[in-house]
Amino acid sequence: MSYFNFAWQWLTSSANWHGSDGIPERLLQHLEYTGIALAIAFVIAVPVGLAMGHYRRGGFAVVTVANFARALPTLGLLVLIFVLTSGSFVSWLIPLAFLAIPPMLVNTYEGVLGVDRELTDAARGMGMTEWQILRKAEIPVALPLILLGVRTSAIQVVATATIAAYIGLGGLGRYIIDGLARSEYNVVAGGAAVIVVLALAVQGLFMLLRVLIVPVGLRKQAQTS
Amino acid sequence: MFHKKTAAVGLAAVACVAVAACSSSGGGSKSGGGSSNPLSGSASSGTVVVGSANFPEDELLAQIYADALQSAGVKVSTKLNIGAREVYYPELTKGAISVIPEYNGALLTTSVDTSSKATSTAEVNAALKAKLPSTATILNSSAAQDKDSITVTQANATKYHLKSISDLSSVAKTWVIGGPSEFKTRADGIVGLKNVYGLTFKSFSPLDESGPITISALKSGKVQAADIFTTTPQIISDKFVSLADPKNMFAAQNVTPLVYKKAASAKVISTLNAVSAKLTTAELLEMDKQLTINHASYTTVASNFISQQGLK
Amino acid sequence: MSWAWQNRDLVGHYLGQNVYIALLPVLFGIIVSVPVGVICVRYKWTWPPILSLTSIFYALPSLALYTVLIAYTGLTDWTVIIPLTLFSLSVLIPNVVDGLRSVPRPVEQAAVAMGFSSLRRTLQVELPLAVPVIMAGLRVATVSSISLVSVGQLIGTGGLGYLFTDGEQRDFTTEIYVGLVLIIVLALVLDGLLVLARRWLTPWEPRRSRQERRRAATGAPQGTGAVPVGHHGGHGGHGGGGHVGVGH
């Protein structure tokens, strides 16, 4: 039987859409974890990225963060924090937020850095304060990249939250972990399908946001193909 | 110039990958069969393959078996951490693995005969020998047992006067019970608690195989009762109370080698029986402590056991 | 860390497995992505659909993909290798395309003027010049691949990921640290080797400015300042600047 048969079997069984182990409940949990982690990461990463980009400092640190973040195994970090905190409440939140920081940080930094020097010089010449330059000139221009960073982080967190089921978290990853343990492949297949749809929906949502938030002129400018 | 350099880099890359492949070739892979359950394996032949479930105690036992067999001159390879019984049992009956350390009662009620009422070691083994598929059989059981148990914190045991599983009837409705994922569907899990003791809990929380997740969930109150294996060292160190099982919902769980008949030569049988003869619950508990509290390595603990028991 | 040395057989075995399962997909990736990239540049209409496909694969959580493969390859190494190959492709193909497109027009024109056939031009002029950008993508793909293998431990094939699950079960932080350190070091060493390889392959490259080096490290193609390939998020023909993601 192909993957799709198993997934379809599970997804079309109405029992799986109700109760504490049902799809809506698990989806909600997953979104909850993702939302909280993203919010925390946003509050930390974006201001730092804006500051670093505006003052053109710390490029090397940013590269290091980028490389390091890519090499860091998510399962390892989840397990480490879990064992170190003896399974406390924060044990899932710390890795999820931590892993969401690099994409937002680096993309925000790059975004602000990439703002045309002439633009910021003109703004400075007009007598704007540093904060005004940031707010009125740099952030609007950097918006596409900042948004990209948040989108990247969102997808990252959705994926990490899936793996976090291993350390006892709820959410959609439960279907994979529990299904594997009970050798119930249709649960695994169905769960994977919901996760894939969620990831694509997140991707789509951000693409929509981009159209809504980023001014048309900037959008065109950033396009290449 | 460019072509030569690229070719050189390409060859080097391929060479690296090949070397890595060779050095990892002890691990083996599980082949996907054309069966209706993609999670089960298919047959393969060769050396005696000792498998283990995905929790430390079973991995240790597998290591002990492998060690003993190797000392006896048998060609051995290991396939550790396969998964829960639901995953590795089909592999054994097909011969993809040759030996696995099992717990006779759990094996019986989970995979062989879910309606079995056998509870004592003798009853369970008789039932197994009768009902196992023709490709597999069990060898002698050891005295060592690692049973499932319903365990609660000392505080709750005192507060609600809990001594046996039956005493849970007053609190079950408001309590969350935790255990490995498969506890939900097994005959001696949630199902058994309902049928044998008439208990229905508020909800079930999937945790892990009596590991840190379960321990911390019980300690923190995330769950009020948990399925904890009786040789888990933290029962003693965290002062948990394992409730008595007067109705024998949990059958005897002696450590017993489950073997694929075709791979079980006379030497294999006699070696493993010798190991079982020397394994006691106290020994097992002590070795678990070394693994979990002292963080000794599996191979060290296993070889110590083998030499101490004169099984080399 | 002496634990690692004491258990070097075990650790070595999983290290080897990790390298094998991570690098094979990257190898497949580069072999396939170069011709596909060339086609995308040559036949422009093929690029948007392929770009969409790579965007999609890029966004999918690795664990979900591994489990999809179980239906076809059971619980074997290939269950992890195939999805990782798809990931590598989703990183490499856009980079190959960007690299080829970043070849300065005057150079192309000079090659045409010198009588280079189309194929020769691609092989001897455009691809060599695209090496820095392609290499940037190769680095991203390699580093991510190394760390993504460990997630495979949840389906039984995880290279050094074994150290995470065993460490978790036994409350053994040392083992977990060893796993983390080895994976990160392994990734960084391979990354360094790729940088050396790039320098060797492109001897004509002058010592680059800090900004250019930084761009390459985060995966942005040089010269264009736009559509970079990081580890996440795909392009869809929009977005500029460095994408950075983490292995997921």
Side-chain angles (χ1 to χ4, degrees), chain C residues 1 11 14 23 32 44 67 72 77 79 84 90 144 175 181 191 206 213 215 219:
Chain C
M1 287 308 147
V11 172
Y14 286 113
L23 293 191
V32 171
K44 294 205 173 61
T67 57
Y72 305 103
D77 294 346
T79 315
L84 286 182
S90 70
S144 310
E175 197 175 3
V181 167
D191 188 58
R213 256 183 282 140
R215 277 274 157 82

Side-chain angles (χ1 to χ4, degrees), chain C:
Chain C
M1 287 308 147
S2 63
W3 180 88
W5 181 249
Q6 280 160 18
N7 292 275
R8 56 187 180 277
D9 282 341
L10 182 81
V11 172
H13 163 80
Y14 286 113
L15 187 73
Q17 190 192 44
N18 211 119
V19 169
Y20 164 66
I21 297 180
L23 293 191
L24 205 59
V26 175
L27 207 64
F28 290 154
I30 198 78
I31 291 173
V32 171
S33 64
V34 170
V36 171
V38 169
I39 291 173
C40 286
V41 170
R42 200 68 78 70
Y43 304 101
K44 294 205 173 61
W45 58 269
T46 56
W47 180 224
I50 291 187
L51 182 60
S52 307
L53 265 181
T54 59
S55 274
I56 288 175
F57 274 117
Y58 196 61
L60 303 181
S62 53
L63 184 57
L65 282 183
Y66 296 158
T67 57
V68 169
L69 257 299
I70 293 178
Y72 305 103
T73 53
L75 293 169
T76 62
D77 294 346
W78 291 99
T79 315
V80 173
I81 291 174
I82 293 174
L84 286 182
T85 305
L86 293 173
F87 267 122
S88 296
L89 284 173
S90 70
V91 168
L92 289 169
I93 293 177
N95 267 45
V96 171
V97 170
D98 289 333
L100 289 172
R101 286 204 185 144
S102 71
V103 172
R105 287 231 69 202
V107 175
E108 263 180 83
Q109 288 167 338
V112 171
M114 282 169 65
F116 277 56
S117 76
S118 187
L119 181 66
R120 256 188 99 193
R121 222 170 50 231
T122 306
L123 287 179
Q124 289 194 316
V125 176
E126 295 174 354
L127 278 179
L129 286 177
V131 162
V133 178
I134 297 178
M135 201 50 100
L138 200 56
R139 288 168 64 192
V140 171
T142 303
V143 169
S144 310
S145 210
I146 294 278
S147 94
L148 283 175
V149 170
S150 63
V151 175
Q153 183 58 25
L154 297 179
I155 56 153
T157 305
L160 292 166
Y162 165 80
L163 298 175
F164 300 144
T165 51
D166 189 61
E168 185 271 325
Q169 285 171 329
R170 298 204 277 147
D171 228 2
F172 193 10
T173 45
T174 306
E175 197 175 3
I176 302 174
Y177 282 127
V178 169
L180 283 169
V181 167
L182 281 178
I183 288 179
I184 294 175
V185 165
L186 182 61
L188 295 180
V189 162
L190 287 172
D191 188 58
L193 285 176
L194 286 173
V195 171
L196 287 177
R198 192 203 64 224
R199 288 214 195 131
W200 189 53
L201 285 172
T202 56
W204 58 82
E205 288 272 321
R207 293 233 28 159
R208 289 152 347 116
S209 73
R210 236 198 188 181
Q211 197 199 42
E212 285 171 316
R213 256 183 282 140
R214 203 197 66 241
R215 277 274 157 82
T218 56
Q222 294 165 294
T224 57
V227 197
V229 184
H231 190 232
H232 260 68
H235 336 286
H238 50 260
H243 278 229
V244 164
V246 179
H248 70 305

Side-chain angles (χ1 to χ4, degrees), chain A residues 43-74:
Chain A
V43 161
I44 297 174
V46 172
V48 173
L50 288 174
M52 284 171 78
H54 178 79
Y55 291 109
R56 297 177 178 261
R57 282 269 154 78
F60 183 69
V62 166
V63 168
T64 315
V65 164
N67 274 341
F68 181 75
R70 220 174 272 137
L72 189 63
T74 53

Side-chain angles (χ1 to χ4, degrees), chain A residues 89-124:
Chain A
F89 165 75
V90 290
S91 67
W92 61 264
L93 190 56
I94 296 174
L96 252 64
F98 186 79
L99 289 168
I101 291 176
M104 287 200 243
L105 177 64
V106 176
N107 280 293
T108 304
Y109 169 78
E110 289 283 339
V112 174
L113 200 71
V115 173
D116 209 332
R117 268 287 174 76
E118 289 182 3
L119 184 63
T120 46
D121 282 348
R124 209 166 270 120

